[in-house]
Amino acid sequence: MQEIGHWINGEHVAGTSGRFADVYNPATGEVQAKVALATQAEMDAAVASAAEAQKAWGATNPQRRARVMMAFVQLINRDMDKLAEKLSSEHGKTFPDAKGDVQRGLEVIEYCIGAPQMLKGEFTDSAGPGIDMYSMRQPLGVVAGITPFNFPAMIPLWKMGPALACGNAMIMKPSERDPSVPLMLAELLKEAGLPDGVLQVINGDKESVDAILDHDTIQAVGFVGSTPIAQYIYERAAQNGKRAQCFGGAKNHMIIMPDADLDQAADALVGAGYGAAGERCMAISVAVPVGEETADKLREKLVPRIEKLKVGPYTAGDDVDYGPVVTAAAKENILRLVQSGVDQGAELAVDGRDFSLQGYEDGFFVGPHLFDKVTPDMDIYKTEIFGPVLSMVRAGSYEEAIGLAISHEYGNGTAIYTRDGDTARDFANRINIGMVGINVPIPVPLAYHTFGGWKKSGFGDLNQHGPDAFKFYTRTKTVTSRWPSGIKEGGEFNFKAMD
Ligand code: NAD
């Protein structure tokens, strides 16, 4: 059985804890590898050498650091298929989707090539007599990234790129469910010229996360994962005086107005609701048609589209719409929530409970589900299901529909389908959600904008990537300087000398 260890000081290192987690092939249900779970002592050693390596890296000029990013881009492109293949085999998502995962991460590395521009400070000439004032952005030192299973390339890249381009050393703690791709990315960064020790990839579970949170040397923590863990990490990091940005779960609503193009809306819902088996923080999990007629027509269009979805392993080719979910436990949790929806009175318009795939009976496949007539008190509405389950909540009016999205505890993404500019504008202005789509179902901002949710979907300040990332991974120092040529002997200002 393959044992996956850590990446420390530029090489693969076996774990010493004797503790391991299983890494599955979700399509077959087989354990394909075991990943080592680091101890606090292993974390301490990795942090100590990262701190040492950071000194020279932080002092390297930004353009040289950007060149490493440039080379990294080439290498990711060179190895795109290899990365995507490994990603699919551990995560389960289809091959094109896995390439998309790598691609969206790659775009942030491309953005980081602009680090010299982003890190330029500000300068005020002659803020007073003989006085200049300037501010500079300096790296924090050693920072940490803790990432979820559902984007094992994209989210580690969102963290590594800006953190390293800003001159920090990083401890990356990937999800223990699909740990291989971050290790492959570390190898590529070494090949791109990143000095050893500047990036350490340490695999682990709660023990290594707590070691990060309590470590005095680590200055900042960037987390992405479920809301309870995001909140826990935010609070513990803050108690320990660290800068923290922690992005959590989601329940993304899409409002469908009576004037919307319903074919477009139905296609969008199927892609955004069931793509990647619903294991996306930007998946649409709630459809809110406005008016009974809209709801009936939408349901009529959705049902055949959903029934046609092809569920299968990533090896079955490009016509597979989505693959298995990540673990047996995830599958059980989804089916338990589906049952609760039935028990609490929602109408199961598409029932995927008996789904089984010949030859892959032990895989973690979940058939697609559509619930209609869901109400806000039901568990399937309140909870993030993170599976191929779409809930329709029928609203009587636009006000009722927007009210639902506003009242929900999560605030990651949302969308509205309408042909009416006034309604769309009103929605974009009033909604208390971080990322908004107008006739766009998954409004993921591009690398040069920022990504982040509101309410229980995000804790802390500043978003991921875009200009915010350069702020998060640096601190500002402002220098006020006065030089004698502007000052008379004896300390008084020589105003004439300033003429
Ligand atoms: P998770 O919270 O279980 O795990 C995320 C990370 O936290 C992993 O590295 C894991 O090892 C660690 N962890 C797990 N339990 C821990 C504990 N008790 N103490 C300390 N650390 C712990 O999340 P997941 O299941 O890997 O990912 C799915 C979740 O991530 C979903 O809720 C999804 O919405 C969310 N997500 C959010 C965004 C976003 O940008 N808002 C993006 C992607 C995923």
Side-chain angles (χ1 to χ4, degrees), residues 146-150 155 173-177 204 206 209 223-226 229 232-233 247-250 281 384 386 412 451 457 464:
I146 303 166
T147 55
F149 81 85
N150 68 324
I155 296 178
K173 207 302 286 170
S175 170
E176 61 274 40
R177 293 181 225 164
K206 181 171 167 52
V209 170
F223 171 87
V224 180
S226 59
I229 310 298
Y232 163 72
I233 288 181
F247 300 94
C281 68
E384 180 184 42
F386 226 51
N412 212 40
F451 181 110
S457 297
Q464 304 193 87

PDB file of all heavy atoms in Angstrom, residues 146-150 155 173-177 204 206 209 223-226 229 232-233 247-250 281 384 386 412 451 457 464, ligand 1:
ATOM      1  N   ILE A 146      -4.831  25.911   5.279  1.00  0.00           N
ATOM      2  CA  ILE A 146      -5.517  24.657   5.641  1.00  0.00           C
ATOM      3  C   ILE A 146      -6.686  24.528   4.670  1.00  0.00           C
ATOM      4  O   ILE A 146      -7.538  25.423   4.595  1.00  0.00           O
ATOM      5  CB  ILE A 146      -6.021  24.718   7.107  1.00  0.00           C
ATOM      6  CG1 ILE A 146      -4.858  24.992   8.057  1.00  0.00           C
ATOM      7  CG2 ILE A 146      -6.757  23.422   7.483  1.00  0.00           C
ATOM      8  CD1 ILE A 146      -5.280  25.401   9.464  1.00  0.00           C
ATOM      9  N   THR A 147      -6.712  23.450   3.899  1.00  0.00           N
ATOM     10  CA  THR A 147      -7.613  23.434   2.741  1.00  0.00           C
ATOM     11  C   THR A 147      -8.554  22.225   2.740  1.00  0.00           C
ATOM     12  O   THR A 147      -8.276  21.207   3.374  1.00  0.00           O
ATOM     13  CB  THR A 147      -6.781  23.490   1.436  1.00  0.00           C
ATOM     14  OG1 THR A 147      -5.844  22.418   1.440  1.00  0.00           O
ATOM     15  CG2 THR A 147      -6.034  24.811   1.326  1.00  0.00           C
ATOM     16  N   PRO A 148      -9.672  22.328   1.998  1.00  0.00           N
ATOM     17  CA  PRO A 148     -10.691  21.278   1.996  1.00  0.00           C
ATOM     18  C   PRO A 148     -10.451  20.257   0.885  1.00  0.00           C
ATOM     19  O   PRO A 148      -9.592  20.455   0.027  1.00  0.00           O
ATOM     20  CB  PRO A 148     -11.964  22.071   1.700  1.00  0.00           C
ATOM     21  CG  PRO A 148     -11.500  23.136   0.754  1.00  0.00           C
ATOM     22  CD  PRO A 148     -10.095  23.485   1.168  1.00  0.00           C
ATOM     23  N   PHE A 149     -11.272  19.208   0.904  1.00  0.00           N
ATOM     24  CA  PHE A 149     -11.070  18.139  -0.080  1.00  0.00           C
ATOM     25  C   PHE A 149     -11.588  18.507  -1.462  1.00  0.00           C
ATOM     26  O   PHE A 149     -11.171  17.918  -2.454  1.00  0.00           O
ATOM     27  CB  PHE A 149     -11.768  16.840   0.400  1.00  0.00           C
ATOM     28  CG  PHE A 149     -13.247  16.821   0.111  1.00  0.00           C
ATOM     29  CD1 PHE A 149     -13.717  16.399  -1.129  1.00  0.00           C
ATOM     30  CD2 PHE A 149     -14.163  17.253   1.056  1.00  0.00           C
ATOM     31  CE1 PHE A 149     -15.078  16.408  -1.412  1.00  0.00           C
ATOM     32  CE2 PHE A 149     -15.525  17.266   0.778  1.00  0.00           C
ATOM     33  CZ  PHE A 149     -15.980  16.847  -0.454  1.00  0.00           C
ATOM     34  N   ASN A 150     -12.526  19.468  -1.543  1.00  0.00           N
ATOM     35  CA  ASN A 150     -13.296  19.540  -2.787  1.00  0.00           C
ATOM     36  C   ASN A 150     -12.595  20.245  -3.946  1.00  0.00           C
ATOM     37  O   ASN A 150     -12.978  20.052  -5.091  1.00  0.00           O
ATOM     38  CB  ASN A 150     -14.700  20.135  -2.543  1.00  0.00           C
ATOM     39  CG  ASN A 150     -14.673  21.577  -2.174  1.00  0.00           C
ATOM     40  OD1 ASN A 150     -13.777  22.022  -1.478  1.00  0.00           O
ATOM     41  ND2 ASN A 150     -15.642  22.329  -2.645  1.00  0.00           N
ATOM     42  N   ILE A 155      -7.610  25.388  -4.430  1.00  0.00           N
ATOM     43  CA  ILE A 155      -7.530  26.157  -3.178  1.00  0.00           C
ATOM     44  C   ILE A 155      -6.102  26.178  -2.614  1.00  0.00           C
ATOM     45  O   ILE A 155      -5.617  27.251  -2.244  1.00  0.00           O
ATOM     46  CB  ILE A 155      -8.621  25.727  -2.178  1.00  0.00           C
ATOM     47  CG1 ILE A 155      -9.982  26.073  -2.804  1.00  0.00           C
ATOM     48  CG2 ILE A 155      -8.451  26.448  -0.839  1.00  0.00           C
ATOM     49  CD1 ILE A 155     -11.192  25.702  -2.008  1.00  0.00           C
ATOM     50  N   LYS A 173      -1.403  22.664   4.789  1.00  0.00           N
ATOM     51  CA  LYS A 173      -1.981  21.448   5.371  1.00  0.00           C
ATOM     52  C   LYS A 173      -3.204  21.099   4.525  1.00  0.00           C
ATOM     53  O   LYS A 173      -4.300  21.593   4.746  1.00  0.00           O
ATOM     54  CB  LYS A 173      -2.372  21.734   6.829  1.00  0.00           C
ATOM     55  CG  LYS A 173      -2.378  20.544   7.773  1.00  0.00           C
ATOM     56  CD  LYS A 173      -3.293  19.401   7.379  1.00  0.00           C
ATOM     57  CE  LYS A 173      -4.769  19.664   7.594  1.00  0.00           C
ATOM     58  NZ  LYS A 173      -5.635  18.617   6.988  1.00  0.00           N
ATOM     59  N   PRO A 174      -3.018  20.224   3.528  1.00  0.00           N
ATOM     60  CA  PRO A 174      -4.149  19.900   2.635  1.00  0.00           C
ATOM     61  C   PRO A 174      -5.145  18.966   3.317  1.00  0.00           C
ATOM     62  O   PRO A 174      -4.889  18.456   4.405  1.00  0.00           O
ATOM     63  CB  PRO A 174      -3.482  19.166   1.470  1.00  0.00           C
ATOM     64  CG  PRO A 174      -2.024  19.133   1.749  1.00  0.00           C
ATOM     65  CD  PRO A 174      -1.813  19.474   3.188  1.00  0.00           C
ATOM     66  N   SER A 175      -6.235  18.733   2.619  1.00  0.00           N
ATOM     67  CA  SER A 175      -7.203  17.752   3.126  1.00  0.00           C
ATOM     68  C   SER A 175      -6.560  16.372   3.114  1.00  0.00           C
ATOM     69  O   SER A 175      -5.910  15.983   2.134  1.00  0.00           O
ATOM     70  CB  SER A 175      -8.453  17.735   2.241  1.00  0.00           C
ATOM     71  OG  SER A 175      -9.258  16.624   2.604  1.00  0.00           O
ATOM     72  N   GLU A 176      -6.785  15.635   4.166  1.00  0.00           N
ATOM     73  CA  GLU A 176      -6.225  14.280   4.255  1.00  0.00           C
ATOM     74  C   GLU A 176      -6.970  13.310   3.342  1.00  0.00           C
ATOM     75  O   GLU A 176      -6.545  12.174   3.153  1.00  0.00           O
ATOM     76  CB  GLU A 176      -6.244  13.780   5.712  1.00  0.00           C
ATOM     77  CG  GLU A 176      -7.603  13.660   6.369  1.00  0.00           C
ATOM     78  CD  GLU A 176      -8.099  14.975   7.006  1.00  0.00           C
ATOM     79  OE1 GLU A 176      -7.901  16.051   6.401  1.00  0.00           O
ATOM     80  OE2 GLU A 176      -8.710  14.896   8.094  1.00  0.00           O
ATOM     81  N   ARG A 177      -8.088  13.772   2.728  1.00  0.00           N
ATOM     82  CA  ARG A 177      -8.839  12.857   1.855  1.00  0.00           C
ATOM     83  C   ARG A 177      -8.243  12.791   0.449  1.00  0.00           C
ATOM     84  O   ARG A 177      -8.385  11.802  -0.236  1.00  0.00           O
ATOM     85  CB  ARG A 177     -10.296  13.295   1.781  1.00  0.00           C
ATOM     86  CG  ARG A 177     -10.974  13.104   3.134  1.00  0.00           C
ATOM     87  CD  ARG A 177     -12.405  13.510   3.094  1.00  0.00           C
ATOM     88  NE  ARG A 177     -12.720  14.311   4.273  1.00  0.00           N
ATOM     89  CZ  ARG A 177     -13.787  15.072   4.394  1.00  0.00           C
ATOM     90  NH1 ARG A 177     -14.650  15.161   3.404  1.00  0.00           N
ATOM     91  NH2 ARG A 177     -13.998  15.741   5.487  1.00  0.00           N
ATOM     92  N   GLY A 204      -2.104  15.966   7.650  1.00  0.00           N
ATOM     93  CA  GLY A 204      -2.544  15.711   9.015  1.00  0.00           C
ATOM     94  C   GLY A 204      -4.014  15.985   9.214  1.00  0.00           C
ATOM     95  O   GLY A 204      -4.741  16.299   8.262  1.00  0.00           O
ATOM     96  N   LYS A 206      -6.793  17.005  12.841  1.00  0.00           N
ATOM     97  CA  LYS A 206      -6.967  18.046  13.862  1.00  0.00           C
ATOM     98  C   LYS A 206      -5.676  18.310  14.654  1.00  0.00           C
ATOM     99  O   LYS A 206      -5.379  19.446  14.983  1.00  0.00           O
ATOM    100  CB  LYS A 206      -8.102  17.620  14.804  1.00  0.00           C
ATOM    101  CG  LYS A 206      -8.401  18.639  15.890  1.00  0.00           C
ATOM    102  CD  LYS A 206      -9.656  18.291  16.641  1.00  0.00           C
ATOM    103  CE  LYS A 206      -9.816  19.087  17.920  1.00  0.00           C
ATOM    104  NZ  LYS A 206      -9.689  20.528  17.777  1.00  0.00           N
ATOM    105  N   VAL A 209      -3.568  20.598  12.703  1.00  0.00           N
ATOM    106  CA  VAL A 209      -4.217  21.921  12.601  1.00  0.00           C
ATOM    107  C   VAL A 209      -4.045  22.672  13.921  1.00  0.00           C
ATOM    108  O   VAL A 209      -3.674  23.852  13.947  1.00  0.00           O
ATOM    109  CB  VAL A 209      -5.711  21.769  12.238  1.00  0.00           C
ATOM    110  CG1 VAL A 209      -6.447  23.096  12.378  1.00  0.00           C
ATOM    111  CG2 VAL A 209      -5.857  21.236  10.808  1.00  0.00           C
ATOM    112  N   PHE A 223      -7.847  29.580   5.857  1.00  0.00           N
ATOM    113  CA  PHE A 223      -8.576  28.303   5.926  1.00  0.00           C
ATOM    114  C   PHE A 223      -9.729  28.306   4.937  1.00  0.00           C
ATOM    115  O   PHE A 223     -10.395  29.326   4.742  1.00  0.00           O
ATOM    116  CB  PHE A 223      -9.139  28.104   7.342  1.00  0.00           C
ATOM    117  CG  PHE A 223     -10.095  26.928   7.446  1.00  0.00           C
ATOM    118  CD1 PHE A 223      -9.612  25.646   7.686  1.00  0.00           C
ATOM    119  CD2 PHE A 223     -11.468  27.096   7.267  1.00  0.00           C
ATOM    120  CE1 PHE A 223     -10.488  24.557   7.756  1.00  0.00           C
ATOM    121  CE2 PHE A 223     -12.338  26.014   7.331  1.00  0.00           C
ATOM    122  CZ  PHE A 223     -11.844  24.743   7.580  1.00  0.00           C
ATOM    123  N   VAL A 224     -10.001  27.142   4.363  1.00  0.00           N
ATOM    124  CA  VAL A 224     -11.239  26.932   3.605  1.00  0.00           C
ATOM    125  C   VAL A 224     -11.767  25.556   3.981  1.00  0.00           C
ATOM    126  O   VAL A 224     -11.021  24.574   3.985  1.00  0.00           O
ATOM    127  CB  VAL A 224     -11.003  26.992   2.083  1.00  0.00           C
ATOM    128  CG1 VAL A 224     -12.318  26.770   1.330  1.00  0.00           C
ATOM    129  CG2 VAL A 224     -10.397  28.334   1.672  1.00  0.00           C
ATOM    130  N   GLY A 225     -13.052  25.483   4.306  1.00  0.00           N
ATOM    131  CA  GLY A 225     -13.658  24.201   4.666  1.00  0.00           C
ATOM    132  C   GLY A 225     -15.065  24.421   5.187  1.00  0.00           C
ATOM    133  O   GLY A 225     -15.713  25.408   4.823  1.00  0.00           O
ATOM    134  N   SER A 226     -15.519  23.540   6.060  1.00  0.00           N
ATOM    135  CA  SER A 226     -16.904  23.638   6.531  1.00  0.00           C
ATOM    136  C   SER A 226     -17.029  24.734   7.603  1.00  0.00           C
ATOM    137  O   SER A 226     -16.037  25.103   8.241  1.00  0.00           O
ATOM    138  CB  SER A 226     -17.341  22.289   7.103  1.00  0.00           C
ATOM    139  OG  SER A 226     -16.472  21.938   8.159  1.00  0.00           O
ATOM    140  N   ILE A 229     -15.763  24.247  11.401  1.00  0.00           N
ATOM    141  CA  ILE A 229     -14.301  24.230  11.530  1.00  0.00           C
ATOM    142  C   ILE A 229     -13.748  25.624  11.223  1.00  0.00           C
ATOM    143  O   ILE A 229     -12.801  26.083  11.880  1.00  0.00           O
ATOM    144  CB  ILE A 229     -13.665  23.164  10.595  1.00  0.00           C
ATOM    145  CG1 ILE A 229     -14.359  21.800  10.753  1.00  0.00           C
ATOM    146  CG2 ILE A 229     -12.172  23.022  10.864  1.00  0.00           C
ATOM    147  CD1 ILE A 229     -14.275  21.171  12.100  1.00  0.00           C
ATOM    148  N   TYR A 232     -14.196  27.620  14.326  1.00  0.00           N
ATOM    149  CA  TYR A 232     -13.258  27.152  15.353  1.00  0.00           C
ATOM    150  C   TYR A 232     -11.849  27.688  15.065  1.00  0.00           C
ATOM    151  O   TYR A 232     -11.176  28.219  15.946  1.00  0.00           O
ATOM    152  CB  TYR A 232     -13.261  25.614  15.356  1.00  0.00           C
ATOM    153  CG  TYR A 232     -12.088  24.991  16.058  1.00  0.00           C
ATOM    154  CD1 TYR A 232     -11.994  25.029  17.449  1.00  0.00           C
ATOM    155  CD2 TYR A 232     -11.057  24.380  15.335  1.00  0.00           C
ATOM    156  CE1 TYR A 232     -10.893  24.467  18.094  1.00  0.00           C
ATOM    157  CE2 TYR A 232      -9.966  23.821  15.970  1.00  0.00           C
ATOM    158  CZ  TYR A 232      -9.891  23.867  17.349  1.00  0.00           C
ATOM    159  OH  TYR A 232      -8.810  23.317  17.979  1.00  0.00           O
ATOM    160  N   ILE A 233     -11.425  27.571  13.819  1.00  0.00           N
ATOM    161  CA  ILE A 233     -10.065  27.988  13.458  1.00  0.00           C
ATOM    162  C   ILE A 233      -9.919  29.503  13.588  1.00  0.00           C
ATOM    163  O   ILE A 233      -8.925  30.006  14.113  1.00  0.00           O
ATOM    164  CB  ILE A 233      -9.710  27.476  12.044  1.00  0.00           C
ATOM    165  CG1 ILE A 233      -9.517  25.961  12.144  1.00  0.00           C
ATOM    166  CG2 ILE A 233      -8.481  28.179  11.464  1.00  0.00           C
ATOM    167  CD1 ILE A 233      -9.149  25.249  10.892  1.00  0.00           C
ATOM    168  N   PHE A 247     -12.934  30.576   5.394  1.00  0.00           N
ATOM    169  CA  PHE A 247     -14.103  30.515   4.515  1.00  0.00           C
ATOM    170  C   PHE A 247     -14.842  29.212   4.763  1.00  0.00           C
ATOM    171  O   PHE A 247     -14.216  28.150   4.818  1.00  0.00           O
ATOM    172  CB  PHE A 247     -13.661  30.662   3.056  1.00  0.00           C
ATOM    173  CG  PHE A 247     -12.970  31.976   2.832  1.00  0.00           C
ATOM    174  CD1 PHE A 247     -11.605  32.083   2.898  1.00  0.00           C
ATOM    175  CD2 PHE A 247     -13.720  33.134   2.632  1.00  0.00           C
ATOM    176  CE1 PHE A 247     -10.967  33.303   2.755  1.00  0.00           C
ATOM    177  CE2 PHE A 247     -13.105  34.360   2.490  1.00  0.00           C
ATOM    178  CZ  PHE A 247     -11.719  34.451   2.545  1.00  0.00           C
ATOM    179  N   GLY A 248     -16.159  29.302   4.921  1.00  0.00           N
ATOM    180  CA  GLY A 248     -16.942  28.147   5.340  1.00  0.00           C
ATOM    181  C   GLY A 248     -17.931  27.656   4.293  1.00  0.00           C
ATOM    182  O   GLY A 248     -17.764  27.888   3.088  1.00  0.00           O
ATOM    183  N   GLY A 249     -18.950  27.001   4.772  1.00  0.00           N
ATOM    184  CA  GLY A 249     -19.925  26.320   3.916  1.00  0.00           C
ATOM    185  C   GLY A 249     -20.901  27.270   3.236  1.00  0.00           C
ATOM    186  O   GLY A 249     -20.775  28.500   3.317  1.00  0.00           O
ATOM    187  N   ALA A 250     -21.884  26.687   2.561  1.00  0.00           N
ATOM    188  CA  ALA A 250     -22.760  27.504   1.725  1.00  0.00           C
ATOM    189  C   ALA A 250     -24.120  26.844   1.527  1.00  0.00           C
ATOM    190  O   ALA A 250     -24.277  25.631   1.722  1.00  0.00           O
ATOM    191  CB  ALA A 250     -22.102  27.701   0.362  1.00  0.00           C
ATOM    192  N   CYS A 281     -18.519  24.673  -3.140  1.00  0.00           N
ATOM    193  CA  CYS A 281     -19.065  25.689  -2.233  1.00  0.00           C
ATOM    194  C   CYS A 281     -19.885  26.712  -3.010  1.00  0.00           C
ATOM    195  O   CYS A 281     -20.616  27.489  -2.423  1.00  0.00           O
ATOM    196  CB  CYS A 281     -17.946  26.376  -1.485  1.00  0.00           C
ATOM    197  SG  CYS A 281     -16.925  27.382  -2.549  1.00  0.00           S
ATOM    198  N   GLU A 384     -26.241  22.472   4.725  1.00  0.00           N
ATOM    199  CA  GLU A 384     -25.464  22.279   3.490  1.00  0.00           C
ATOM    200  C   GLU A 384     -25.367  20.769   3.258  1.00  0.00           C
ATOM    201  O   GLU A 384     -24.758  20.049   4.054  1.00  0.00           O
ATOM    202  CB  GLU A 384     -24.057  22.870   3.648  1.00  0.00           C
ATOM    203  CG  GLU A 384     -23.213  22.693   2.403  1.00  0.00           C
ATOM    204  CD  GLU A 384     -21.777  23.188   2.564  1.00  0.00           C
ATOM    205  OE1 GLU A 384     -21.163  22.941   3.617  1.00  0.00           O
ATOM    206  OE2 GLU A 384     -21.270  23.821   1.612  1.00  0.00           O
ATOM    207  N   PHE A 386     -24.112  19.215   0.400  1.00  0.00           N
ATOM    208  CA  PHE A 386     -22.863  18.940  -0.318  1.00  0.00           C
ATOM    209  C   PHE A 386     -22.957  17.632  -1.104  1.00  0.00           C
ATOM    210  O   PHE A 386     -22.080  16.767  -1.055  1.00  0.00           O
ATOM    211  CB  PHE A 386     -21.680  18.910   0.658  1.00  0.00           C
ATOM    212  CG  PHE A 386     -20.492  19.691   0.143  1.00  0.00           C
ATOM    213  CD1 PHE A 386     -20.629  20.994  -0.302  1.00  0.00           C
ATOM    214  CD2 PHE A 386     -19.229  19.114   0.100  1.00  0.00           C
ATOM    215  CE1 PHE A 386     -19.546  21.721  -0.783  1.00  0.00           C
ATOM    216  CE2 PHE A 386     -18.130  19.830  -0.388  1.00  0.00           C
ATOM    217  CZ  PHE A 386     -18.298  21.133  -0.818  1.00  0.00           C
ATOM    218  N   ASN A 412     -22.523  32.674   0.772  1.00  0.00           N
ATOM    219  CA  ASN A 412     -21.385  32.533  -0.132  1.00  0.00           C
ATOM    220  C   ASN A 412     -21.697  33.082  -1.523  1.00  0.00           C
ATOM    221  O   ASN A 412     -21.180  34.091  -1.943  1.00  0.00           O
ATOM    222  CB  ASN A 412     -20.978  31.057  -0.217  1.00  0.00           C
ATOM    223  CG  ASN A 412     -19.487  30.896  -0.437  1.00  0.00           C
ATOM    224  OD1 ASN A 412     -18.712  31.633   0.162  1.00  0.00           O
ATOM    225  ND2 ASN A 412     -19.090  29.966  -1.285  1.00  0.00           N
ATOM    226  N   PHE A 451     -12.509  36.654  -3.962  1.00  0.00           N
ATOM    227  CA  PHE A 451     -13.477  35.588  -3.731  1.00  0.00           C
ATOM    228  C   PHE A 451     -13.729  35.477  -2.235  1.00  0.00           C
ATOM    229  O   PHE A 451     -12.804  35.273  -1.459  1.00  0.00           O
ATOM    230  CB  PHE A 451     -12.878  34.274  -4.249  1.00  0.00           C
ATOM    231  CG  PHE A 451     -13.768  33.063  -4.097  1.00  0.00           C
ATOM    232  CD1 PHE A 451     -14.337  32.461  -5.216  1.00  0.00           C
ATOM    233  CD2 PHE A 451     -14.012  32.514  -2.841  1.00  0.00           C
ATOM    234  CE1 PHE A 451     -15.136  31.339  -5.081  1.00  0.00           C
ATOM    235  CE2 PHE A 451     -14.826  31.386  -2.702  1.00  0.00           C
ATOM    236  CZ  PHE A 451     -15.383  30.798  -3.829  1.00  0.00           C
ATOM    237  N   SER A 457     -20.512  32.083   5.950  1.00  0.00           N
ATOM    238  CA  SER A 457     -19.638  31.523   4.911  1.00  0.00           C
ATOM    239  C   SER A 457     -18.236  32.118   4.949  1.00  0.00           C
ATOM    240  O   SER A 457     -17.380  31.709   4.162  1.00  0.00           O
ATOM    241  CB  SER A 457     -20.246  31.758   3.521  1.00  0.00           C
ATOM    242  OG  SER A 457     -21.471  31.087   3.410  1.00  0.00           O
ATOM    243  N   GLN A 464     -10.167  35.993  -0.653  1.00  0.00           N
ATOM    244  CA  GLN A 464      -9.093  35.230  -1.295  1.00  0.00           C
ATOM    245  C   GLN A 464      -8.800  35.830  -2.671  1.00  0.00           C
ATOM    246  O   GLN A 464      -9.684  36.365  -3.324  1.00  0.00           O
ATOM    247  CB  GLN A 464      -9.519  33.784  -1.481  1.00  0.00           C
ATOM    248  CG  GLN A 464      -9.930  33.115  -0.187  1.00  0.00           C
ATOM    249  CD  GLN A 464     -10.030  31.617  -0.348  1.00  0.00           C
ATOM    250  OE1 GLN A 464      -9.053  30.910  -0.201  1.00  0.00           O
ATOM    251  NE2 GLN A 464     -11.208  31.142  -0.651  1.00  0.00           N
TER     252      GLN A 464
HETATM  253  P1  NAD B   1     -13.655  20.231   6.516  1.00  0.00           P
HETATM  254  O1  NAD B   1     -14.032  21.413   7.340  1.00  0.00           O
HETATM  255  O2  NAD B   1     -14.052  18.884   6.982  1.00  0.00           O
HETATM  256  O3  NAD B   1     -12.048  20.171   6.355  1.00  0.00           O
HETATM  257  C1  NAD B   1     -11.300  21.278   5.931  1.00  0.00           C
HETATM  258  C2  NAD B   1      -9.911  21.206   6.556  1.00  0.00           C
HETATM  259  O4  NAD B   1     -10.043  21.258   7.974  1.00  0.00           O
HETATM  260  C3  NAD B   1      -9.160  19.920   6.230  1.00  0.00           C
HETATM  261  O5  NAD B   1      -7.810  20.247   5.957  1.00  0.00           O
HETATM  262  C4  NAD B   1      -9.294  19.103   7.505  1.00  0.00           C
HETATM  263  O6  NAD B   1      -8.176  18.281   7.736  1.00  0.00           O
HETATM  264  C5  NAD B   1      -9.407  20.146   8.590  1.00  0.00           C
HETATM  265  N1  NAD B   1     -10.237  19.704   9.719  1.00  0.00           N
HETATM  266  C6  NAD B   1     -11.318  18.873   9.659  1.00  0.00           C
HETATM  267  N2  NAD B   1     -11.834  18.711  10.889  1.00  0.00           N
HETATM  268  C7  NAD B   1     -11.081  19.443  11.733  1.00  0.00           C
HETATM  269  C8  NAD B   1     -11.141  19.694  13.138  1.00  0.00           C
HETATM  270  N3  NAD B   1     -12.069  19.137  13.916  1.00  0.00           N
HETATM  271  N4  NAD B   1     -10.234  20.510  13.672  1.00  0.00           N
HETATM  272  C9  NAD B   1      -9.284  21.085  12.919  1.00  0.00           C
HETATM  273  N5  NAD B   1      -9.185  20.887  11.586  1.00  0.00           N
HETATM  274  C10 NAD B   1     -10.072  20.091  10.993  1.00  0.00           C
HETATM  275  O7  NAD B   1     -14.179  20.524   5.038  1.00  0.00           O
HETATM  276  P2  NAD B   1     -14.203  19.532   3.794  1.00  0.00           P
HETATM  277  O8  NAD B   1     -15.247  18.501   4.017  1.00  0.00           O
HETATM  278  O9  NAD B   1     -12.838  19.102   3.453  1.00  0.00           O
HETATM  279  O10 NAD B   1     -14.671  20.533   2.637  1.00  0.00           O
HETATM  280  C11 NAD B   1     -16.008  20.800   2.326  1.00  0.00           C
HETATM  281  C12 NAD B   1     -16.476  22.076   2.969  1.00  0.00           C
HETATM  282  O11 NAD B   1     -15.668  23.166   2.548  1.00  0.00           O
HETATM  283  C13 NAD B   1     -17.903  22.449   2.563  1.00  0.00           C
HETATM  284  O12 NAD B   1     -18.566  22.936   3.697  1.00  0.00           O
HETATM  285  C14 NAD B   1     -17.693  23.556   1.539  1.00  0.00           C
HETATM  286  O13 NAD B   1     -18.770  24.437   1.399  1.00  0.00           O
HETATM  287  C15 NAD B   1     -16.501  24.237   2.110  1.00  0.00           C
HETATM  288  N6  NAD B   1     -15.819  25.030   1.102  1.00  0.00           N
HETATM  289  C16 NAD B   1     -15.910  26.381   1.190  1.00  0.00           C
HETATM  290  C17 NAD B   1     -15.306  27.184   0.244  1.00  0.00           C
HETATM  291  C18 NAD B   1     -15.385  28.678   0.338  1.00  0.00           C
HETATM  292  O14 NAD B   1     -14.611  29.350  -0.342  1.00  0.00           O
HETATM  293  N7  NAD B   1     -16.263  29.235   1.141  1.00  0.00           N
HETATM  294  C19 NAD B   1     -14.599  26.594  -0.814  1.00  0.00           C
HETATM  295  C20 NAD B   1     -14.512  25.200  -0.866  1.00  0.00           C
HETATM  296  C21 NAD B   1     -15.130  24.427   0.099  1.00  0.00           C
END
